[in-house]
């Protein structure tokens, strides 16, 4: 999961890196939860504006558009949360990828919503496809900001 942290999509060295999918995910987005990682760039590129979702009005008023070679899909945010990786009791949200059974799916959604810094008007049910966007946060070098969204339509 670290290869594209400092490489372009053309696999050339690039300090800013690229937005990339978790290597456990399937590129066809058929997994219950797909995770994308990207840097929180100060110039607003990549996931530089992701933390805007820590505002309830913004989160509930926006969707996330995800475009691949197969087309574009819209996702409705259902949670936005911070994870501190330096503590002893870290929620390893990145392990919630791939084919989740119903219990795993429900645990992921309920944990994300409990940790959410805002109240989302939407939730998700087993069978929904999820998209998780993860970036570093400027709180500390060990903090991540994550938005969890469900596929619409």
């Amino acid at each position: 999961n670290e290869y594209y942290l400092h490489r372009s999509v053309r696999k050339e060295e690039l300090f800013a890196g690229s937005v990339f999918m978790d290597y456990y995910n399937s590129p066809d987005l058929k997994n219950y939860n797909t995770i994308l990682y990207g840097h929180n760039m100060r110039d607003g590129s990549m996931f530089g504006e992701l933390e805007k979702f820590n505002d309830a009005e913004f989160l509930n008023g926006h969707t996330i558009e995800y475009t691949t070679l197969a087309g574009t899909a819209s996702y409705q945010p259902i949670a936005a949360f911070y994870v501190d990786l330096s503590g002893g009791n870290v929620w390893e949200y990145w392990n919630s990828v791939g084919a989740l059974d119903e219990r795993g799916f429900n645990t992921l959604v309920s944990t994300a919503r409990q940790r959410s810094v805002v109240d989302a008007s939407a939730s998700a049910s087993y069978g929904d496809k999820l998209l998780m966007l993860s970036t570093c946060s400027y709180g500390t070098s060990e903090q991540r900001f994550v938005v969890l969204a469900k596929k619409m339509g």
Side-chain angles (χ1 to χ4, degrees), residues 43-119:
D43 67 1
S45 62
M46 285 196 255
F47 288 171
E49 296 192 359
L50 193 64
E51 283 190 271
K52 287 184 177 182
F53 284 97
N54 70 8
D55 175 78
E57 187 174 333
F58 187 89
L59 181 135
N60 290 312
H62 288 81
T63 58
I64 297 167
E65 303 296 316
Y66 182 48
T67 302
T68 67
L69 295 174
T72 299
S74 297
Y75 290 80
Q76 183 175 19
I78 63 170
F81 55 92
Y82 291 91
V83 174
D84 184 354
L85 304 179
S86 65
N89 187 17
V90 175
W91 178 39
E92 297 177 352
Y93 63 89
W94 55 87
N95 286 330
S96 300
V97 297
L100 297 173
D101 61 16
E102 186 170 3
R103 181 175 177 210
F105 181 94
N106 291 335
T107 298
L108 168 62
V109 171
S110 66
T111 302
R113 290 180 56 78
Q114 288 169 5
R115 291 174 170 257
S116 187
V117 295
V118 296
D119 290 326

Side-chain angles (χ1 to χ4, degrees), residues 20-41:
F20 61 95
M21 182 182 292
D22 191 284
Y23 70 99
Y24 277 118
N25 282 128
S26 172
D28 61 11
L29 302 180
K30 291 190 177 181
N31 300 120
Y32 280 115
N33 184 33
T34 298
I35 303 177
L36 300 180
Y37 303 96
H39 286 296
N40 183 351
M41 302 299 289

Side-chain angles (χ1 to χ4, degrees), residues 120-131:
S121 58
S123 188
S125 302
Y126 184 66
D128 287 336
K129 300 293 185 195
L130 302 175
L131 178 67

